[in-house]
Amino acid sequence: MSSYVGVLVSDQWLQSQFTQVELRSLNSKFVSVKNQNGTVTVGDLPPLMVKLKAFSALLTEDEIRQILGESYGDMSSEINFETFLRVYLNMQGQATGKLGGPKNSSSFLKASTTTLLHTISESEKASYVTHINIYLADDPFLKQFLPLDPATNDLFHLAKDGVLLCKLINVAVPGTIDERAINTKRVLNPWERNENHTLCLNSAKAIGCTVVNIGTQDLVEGRPHLVLGLISQIIKIQLLADLNLKKTPQLVELVEDSNADVEELMGLAPEKVLLKWMNFHLNKAGYEKTVANFSSDVKDGKAYAYLLNVLAPEFCNPLTLDTKDPVERAKLVLDHAERMGCKRYLSPKDITEGSTNLNLAFVAQIFHERNGLSTDSKKISFAERMTDDVQISREERCFRLWINSLGIESYVNNVFEDVRTGWILLEVLDKVAPGSVNWKHASKPPIKFPFRKVENCNQVVKIGRQLKFSVVNLGGNDIVQGNKKLIVAFLWQLMRFNMLQLLKSLRSRSRGKEITDADIMNWANRKVKSTGRSTQIESFKDKSLSTGLFFLELLSAVEPRVVNWNLVTKGESDEEKRLNATYIISVARKLGCSIFLLPEDIMEVNQKMILTLTASIMYWCLQHAAEEGEVALSPGNGNGSTYTSDTSPAPSISGEDERSSLCGEISSLTMDDAASDITVSSSQCENEDTEIATAESHA
């Protein structure tokens, strides 16, 4: 598969403090500040470090300069890359101390999967190992390695080939990965192992995990804190899968019958819905307090005792509330839960110590076993009507996952609810079009005054107009009001703009000109034709695309060994088309493409999703060609040795800082179609110039 330039440092401890994603990003920034003599001094660092996310909000440039002066004295001293990394770690310690200790994020999915502290919870590890032993015990391939011993590091060793993580994703969201695409030999070579991890990370993004700061090399090395962070996100997604109106319409009982209340419920994060459900039953049980978190508010076990008594009174033990010892009460609570069918993943100590992740998992299990909600047919029918637009729902899912993959500060739970303040759209715009947002005129949530939301959304529309989007009949108030069709139309143009800009940055012959849908289609046709195949498409609406054969030929053209043609069907029946479509998505992710479409999008030839798939394959191909032409730096210069590795995914269309930096550094490409210039405009959105106007007329 593709190679990439990784970064090695001579100090192994120092190497272990960073992921490869972080090392490559920091190395790029370090190289960017070299002066005319090709050196970096201590005095060069303050302007650089104040721009880094780790310090920008906590330390000023003067404070950084003062800290460096106290530590190194002579600001003109020359430093190498390894010294820079040590300065970074020291500065991070200073920033954390100023903040008052590490942050405890309330949104687990938004929490980064990397930490320089490298501490892991043995209780959590044991809990996740138990979960894996239960849910994957019958897996044809993994059963030879299970059960794992939670007291050892077997989990991290088994995760090194990527099979376990891929299988776990399919347990969390069945059908995400076509298991025919997983390499499951007993001994995998580096290419095959890299493919599994690339498939895993792209699929994890496609179910809602935050994996911005983790790369395949980190998984190959089995770094415990990163592996455990990813596993915990996957398991949480599984446990909270039913906490939405689509899966459990009975949740409508938690709110009044008004549309506004139901829409508010639909916009809540799953853990917030779980808290709302818990407090709903606690209120019925006569519990006087409101549970606001899964740590301090449940440490004494009383809330659990009330909750279980109202949900499963037949298993109630009168001693649970009478006992004075919190540990003993927690033990009785777990006994009660076990009798009603909940699997025991946590200990009484985990409850009394307030382990957020394990307590959340415990409450989710209780909900799964017995939610205690009404089966009122009228209310359920009302909830189902609120979520019956399948096409809009699929597009919302795609845009939500894409936004969350960008690595912005906010985490999106429901696009139509979360964008109404305008803040998230401004974050996305700043990510895909850096410098476009005037943050001095933006208001960050929570926003008390409605006009501030309108101001944010007006700026969103203004920037869209500057980027030559079609914003006919779109005003800031339409976004504030949650007009779904207008929001979808705007988000599609934003996502498409991002794709085309990334492609443009890799096309050496674009000469500053834009790329169009037609260029992407022509590239795909030429690529397939270059292999001697005759299949061609006339547009991204071509009905022949529903068989999936064209995409399989395209994938095979860019990487011949990635498609196993023995697994491909003729695509004549709906079932054959589905088999091909699921295989296409997994193969593309295995290759290194970050895509968020569903098999139905290929089967139904959804023009927008078909374009994103083709563009992502094209991006991988161009990136691969660029990497093939790069010359690795020779080691021994003290600035961080580089090496060629087969264990990192090709950059995908998601817009991370590192990728943008890499794209900008590529100055030339050798391509099979380099003879043709690209002359188009990103404002030429096929069928988009009237879409917003049409949506407005239907709204």
Side-chain angles (χ1 to χ4, degrees):
M1 293 296 294
S2 70
S3 61
Y4 82 107
V5 177
V7 179
L8 281 178
V9 292
S10 58
D11 187 330
Q12 288 301 308
W13 177 86
L14 192 59
Q15 174 90 28
S16 70
Q17 300 303 299
F18 300 90
T19 67
Q20 273 299 315
V21 172
E22 291 166 333
L23 282 173
R24 294 201 301 275
S25 178
L26 289 173
N27 188 49
S28 174
K29 290 176 171 60
F30 179 79
V31 172
S32 71
V33 297
K34 285 188 175 181
N35 57 34
Q36 293 179 349
N37 297 325
T39 61
V40 177
T41 66
V42 176
D44 293 327
L45 297 184
L48 165 66
M49 302 191 82
V50 77
K51 296 178 182 179
L52 300 177
K53 283 186 178 181
F55 315 120
S56 59
L58 301 175
L59 297 171
T60 65
E61 185 173 333
D62 289 339
E63 287 174 326
I64 293 174
R65 192 176 301 279
Q66 180 180 350
I67 293 171
L68 291 175
E70 293 172 355
S71 301
Y72 296 93
D74 185 4
M75 298 295 283
S76 62
S77 300
E78 183 180 339
I79 62 171
N80 60 24
F81 181 61
E82 291 191 15
T83 303
F84 170 63
L85 293 179
R86 291 188 175 88
V87 171
Y88 181 93
L89 291 178
N90 177 52
M91 200 67 64
Q92 188 167 64
Q94 298 269 3
T96 302
K98 181 177 179 180
L99 190 62
K103 294 181 180 179
N104 183 18
S105 176
S106 60
S107 176
F108 184 78
L109 286 179
K110 181 55 190 159
S112 173
T113 57
T114 182
T115 171
L116 291 173
L117 299 178
H118 289 194
T119 57
I120 64 173
S121 165
E122 289 298 325
S123 293
E124 288 190 25
K125 184 182 80 169
S127 173
Y128 302 148
V129 167
T130 302
H131 183 95
I132 289 168
N133 287 339
I134 291 172
Y135 283 94
L136 291 172
D138 297 327
D139 183 85
F141 178 78
L142 291 176
K143 64 182 180 182
Q144 61 185 313
F145 306 107
L146 302 178
L148 297 171
D149 183 354
T152 68
N153 286 326
D154 289 351
L155 170 64
F156 308 119
H157 294 308
L158 184 57
K160 286 183 178 181
D161 67 5
V163 177
L164 171 67
L165 297 174
C166 287
K167 299 273 189 176
L168 195 58
I169 287 173
N170 268 358
V171 169
V173 183
T176 299
I177 296 176
D178 188 328
E179 297 200 1
R180 296 176 297 173
I182 304 174
N183 299 317
T184 54
K185 294 190 306 185
R186 185 64 184 262
V187 179
L188 300 178
N189 62 42
W191 283 357
E192 294 165 332
R193 190 167 57 239
N194 176 63
E195 286 178 337
N196 282 349
H197 288 309
T198 304
L199 174 59
C200 163
L201 290 176
N202 283 317
S203 299
K205 283 193 287 187
I207 65 172
C209 294
T210 300
V211 294
V212 173
N213 290 323
I214 184 170
T216 58
Q217 181 64 22
D218 302 309
L219 299 180
V220 168
E221 294 172 2
R223 295 192 176 190
H225 65 294
L226 293 174
V227 172
L228 205 63
L230 182 57
I231 288 175
S232 58
Q233 287 193 76
I234 295 169
I235 290 177
K236 183 183 176 185
I237 287 171
Q238 176 188 345
L239 294 176
L240 299 181
D242 293 337
L243 280 151
N244 59 73
L245 284 177
K246 187 173 183 180
K247 292 283 187 68
T248 312
Q250 294 91 337
L251 284 168
V252 74
E253 187 180 352
L254 303 183
V255 299
E256 300 296 331
D257 289 348
S258 70
N259 287 6
D261 290 332
V262 176
E263 287 181 355
E264 181 183 354
L265 180 65
M266 291 172 63
L268 290 178
E271 54 263 49
K272 296 292 185 183
V273 177
L274 191 61
L275 279 173
K276 194 175 184 71
W277 167 82
M278 186 176 183
N279 284 308
F280 173 79
H281 285 301
L282 289 177
N283 184 56
K284 289 200 303 184
Y287 189 65
E288 296 179 353
K289 298 179 181 178
T290 298
V291 176
N293 57 62
F294 293 107
S295 57
S296 59
D297 287 0
V298 296
K299 289 171 68 172
D300 61 8
K302 289 183 179 179
Y304 287 148
Y306 276 92
L307 178 64
L308 293 175
N309 285 350
V310 74
L311 290 175
E314 68 273 25
F315 300 122
C316 175
N317 186 335
L319 296 176
T320 306
L321 285 173
D322 294 338
T323 184
K324 302 298 183 183
D325 182 9
V327 176
E328 181 62 25
R329 184 185 299 117
K331 182 180 182 301
L332 293 172
V333 163
L334 292 176
D335 290 340
H336 190 164
E338 197 165 15
R339 287 195 295 273
M340 63 180 278
C342 292
K343 301 176 181 67
R344 180 169 291 206
Y345 287 162
L346 73 172
S347 66
K349 185 180 178 182
D350 296 323
I351 293 178
T352 57
E353 290 185 348
S355 173
T356 301
N357 294 336
L358 296 184
N359 277 292
L360 184 149
F362 179 51
V363 179
Q365 287 177 331
I366 296 172
F367 175 87
H368 182 73
E369 286 299 322
R370 193 173 298 195
N371 62 44
L373 297 174
S374 166
T375 54
D376 186 330
S377 58
K378 290 184 179 179
K379 281 196 170 186
I380 292 176
S381 176
F382 174 74
E384 289 173 341
R385 287 199 304 274
M386 295 292 293
T387 58
D388 62 355
D389 194 329
V390 176
Q391 186 60 42
I392 288 290
S393 177
R394 282 193 351 218
E395 292 186 336
E396 185 277 334
R397 170 194 169 277
C398 174
F399 295 131
R400 167 166 40 87
L401 295 172
W402 170 67
I403 291 172
N404 287 334
S405 77
L406 295 175
I408 64 172
E409 182 180 345
S410 303
Y411 187 87
V412 178
N413 292 293
N414 182 290
V415 167
F416 301 127
E417 291 301 311
D418 293 350
V419 304
R420 290 173 65 173
T421 65
W423 181 263
I424 285 177
L425 290 176
L426 290 174
E427 285 188 277
V428 175
L429 283 163
D430 192 54
K431 196 74 173 180
V432 304
S436 62
V437 178
N438 185 343
W439 291 109
K440 292 181 180 180
H441 295 163
S443 301
K444 186 175 183 178
I447 301 175
K448 295 182 180 180
F449 304 108
F451 74 90
R452 295 292 186 193
K453 299 179 183 179
V454 176
E455 285 179 347
N456 282 353
C457 294
N458 281 341
Q459 186 178 176
V460 168
V461 176
K462 179 182 178 182
I463 296 171
R465 190 175 293 111
Q466 291 170 351
L467 297 177
K468 299 182 180 180
F469 292 176
S470 172
V471 290
V472 179
N473 294 331
L474 176 65
N477 197 51
D478 295 309
I479 299 175
V480 174
Q481 295 299 320
N483 187 313
K484 293 182 179 180
K485 292 187 176 181
L486 293 178
I487 291 172
V488 163
F490 184 85
L491 283 172
W492 163 241
Q493 293 184 85
L494 188 55
M495 184 178 181
R496 181 179 178 278
F497 172 82
N498 183 41
M499 290 188 303
L500 299 183
Q501 289 300 108
L502 289 171
L503 287 171
K504 174 186 171 183
S505 69
L506 288 179
R507 285 297 291 265
S508 61
R509 295 182 60 81
S510 63
R511 297 169 185 166
K513 298 175 182 177
E514 304 298 334
I515 291 179
T516 60
D517 300 1
D519 290 306
I520 298 171
M521 183 186 70
N522 291 337
W523 171 86
N525 278 331
R526 285 195 296 272
K527 203 69 184 174
V528 170
K529 188 176 181 180
S530 69
T531 64
R533 299 179 184 273
S534 59
T535 310
Q536 300 282 275
I537 59 172
E538 296 181 358
S539 73
F540 292 118
K541 296 184 289 185
D542 195 318
K543 293 302 181 183
S544 66
L545 289 168
S546 66
T547 66
L549 295 177
F550 179 81
F551 286 117
L552 289 166
E553 291 177 354
L554 178 60
L555 287 164
S556 182
V558 299
E559 178 52 74
R561 65 183 203 83
V562 79
V563 176
N564 182 348
W565 286 100
N566 293 326
L567 303 176
V568 177
T569 73
K570 294 181 179 180
E572 294 175 346
S573 66
D574 286 345
E575 181 58 28
E576 288 186 344
K577 289 179 180 179
R578 178 173 294 278
L579 285 170
N580 283 352
T582 56
Y583 188 55
I584 288 166
I585 292 172
S586 290
V587 167
R589 287 176 179 153
K590 178 178 177 178
L591 193 66
C593 301
S594 182
I595 49 177
F596 307 105
L597 75 167
L598 294 170
E600 290 81 1
D601 293 316
I602 297 176
M603 296 169 64
E604 298 170 9
V605 193
N606 182 320
Q607 181 183 357
K608 295 176 182 177
M609 297 302 106
I610 293 291
L611 171 59
T612 65
L613 173 60
T614 313
S616 189
I617 297 171
M618 180 179 178
Y619 184 86
W620 181 89
C621 185
L622 300 188
Q623 182 64 51
H624 179 65
E627 290 173 345
E628 288 294 309
E630 288 179 346
V631 178
L633 299 175
S634 59
N637 58 7
N639 290 333
S641 304
T642 57
Y643 67 99
T644 302
S645 168
D646 295 314
T647 50
S648 180
S652 51
I653 297 180
S654 61
E656 282 94 327
D657 290 339
E658 179 198 359
R659 178 167 314 134
S660 299
S661 174
L662 179 60
C663 292
E665 292 172 5
I666 296 173
S667 59
S668 64
L669 281 175
T670 301
M671 295 184 47
D672 55 359
D673 59 337
S676 61
D677 287 338
I678 300 173
T679 55
V680 284
S681 170
S682 62
S683 63
Q684 294 175 328
C685 305
E686 186 174 356
N687 294 333
E688 283 295 331
D689 54 347
T690 58
E691 181 164 344
I692 287 187
T694 304
E696 172 68 19
S697 66
H698 287 305

